[in-house]
Amino acid sequence: MKLKWSDVTPEQSYLDRRKFIAAGAMALLGTPALALAGKTSRYSTVEKQNTFEEITNYNNFYEFGTGKTDPASNAGSLKTSPWSVRIEGMVDHPGSYGVEDLVPDSALEERIYRLRCVEAWSMVIPWLGVPLAAILKKAGPQSGAKYVAFQTLLDPKQMPGQAYGGGIDWPYREGLRLDEAMNPLTILATGLYGRVLPNQNGAPIRLVVPWKYGFKSIKSIVAISLTDKQPRTTWQMLQPSEYGFYANVNPQVDHPRWSQATERRIGSGLFGGRQETLMFNGYGDDVASLYAGMNLAKAY
């Protein structure tokens, strides 16, 4: 007989297992102990992974500060359980759903993806999550839906960077075309390195779109909305000449203030040098067809 989690775990711990495991994972920061398991995926890269310490201590998450170590220092104020995500807009089955319902532990896949930041640094991260397409299909996209909009939690008490402002119109917003959202590479992640997602990495649920610059992969999501209009996105609203809606990794289109032709792999050391950036971050075989006929220098 196949056992369920509820058969082997005390009921109270089972009901709050994500919070329980998250606390244990942080206490065991330097150990390889697993908290979650995911099925292996053909989409995973075989490149050397960054360490757990590197991934969890070098982050952009302005809700907790603008420095790379600020999120790790300040994100402990975020309460991630219970947590629900609203699915709304042009769907047949709108509603508010718990993270454990959207992304059950039994459905997790391990996706070892390259992450390329618009700032020209990169990592390789072993995420745990599920394809966004599976969630959207259950929600029932209506025929006129063309885009998917995402929104982060707005709570300055838990996210002190929102109180500071920094010129950003909070909450953080992002968006994808529906066909991008339905691509099998696009996932909603709830873990990394076999552990529940740390707060500084976007707990309890975040988007991961590996062929786009990292700022597209919105963290701590509370709302997903399907719409027929291109959604406004945070960095595009803040500085449209520098950050476009698509944000595809493209070494041939420089940022106005620096080159995108090469990148610095975090953890490579002071003399590790730079490596060439790949078109679509190396995922062109799976996504290039989405942009056939488009001028990617203008649709940046």
Side-chain angles (χ1 to χ4, degrees), residues 44-58:
S44 292
T45 180
V46 296
E47 292 182 49
K48 181 182 177 181
Q49 300 167 36
N50 282 87
T51 66
F52 184 82
E53 289 74 17
E54 290 165 346
I55 294 167
T56 57
N57 287 281
Y58 195 92

Side-chain angles (χ1 to χ4, degrees), residues 32-94:
L34 297 181
L36 298 172
K39 308 177 185 71
T40 56
S41 169
R42 72 175 183 85
Y43 296 108
S44 292
T45 180
V46 296
E47 292 182 49
K48 181 182 177 181
Q49 300 167 36
N50 282 87
T51 66
F52 184 82
E53 289 74 17
E54 290 165 346
I55 294 167
T56 57
N57 287 281
Y58 195 92
N59 307 105
N60 284 331
F61 200 172
Y62 283 12
E63 284 84 346
F64 298 105
T66 57
K68 293 294 185 287
T69 60
D70 287 348
S73 298
N74 301 329
S77 58
L78 180 65
K79 180 183 178 183
T80 60
S81 178
W83 190 282
S84 61
V85 178
R86 301 189 313 275
I87 299 182
E88 54 197 10
M90 301 178 70
V91 294
D92 293 331
H93 308 293

Side-chain angles (χ1 to χ4, degrees), residues 115-137:
L115 169 70
R116 172 58 154 83
C117 181
V118 73
E119 298 169 344
W121 56 265
S122 63
M123 289 188 182
V124 176
I125 302 177
W127 303 106
L128 287 169
V130 302
L132 176 58
I135 294 170
L136 295 181
K137 287 176 182 177

Side-chain angles (χ1 to χ4, degrees), residues 134-197:
I135 294 170
L136 295 181
K137 287 176 182 177
K138 291 180 181 179
Q142 295 175 359
S143 60
K146 297 179 181 178
Y147 295 92
V148 185
F150 305 87
Q151 183 175 306
T152 293
L153 176 70
L154 178 61
D155 189 335
K157 290 184 178 179
Q158 295 192 70
M159 294 176 153
Q162 292 176 339
Y164 169 73
I168 294 175
D169 180 16
W170 304 106
Y172 196 93
R173 304 173 181 91
E174 258 307 335
L176 298 171
R177 272 189 349 211
L178 183 58
D179 58 349
E180 295 176 319
M182 299 295 284
N183 186 279
L185 284 173
T186 305
I187 65 170
L188 288 180
T190 58
L192 63 82
Y193 256 121
R195 309 176 190 187
V196 168
L197 197 63

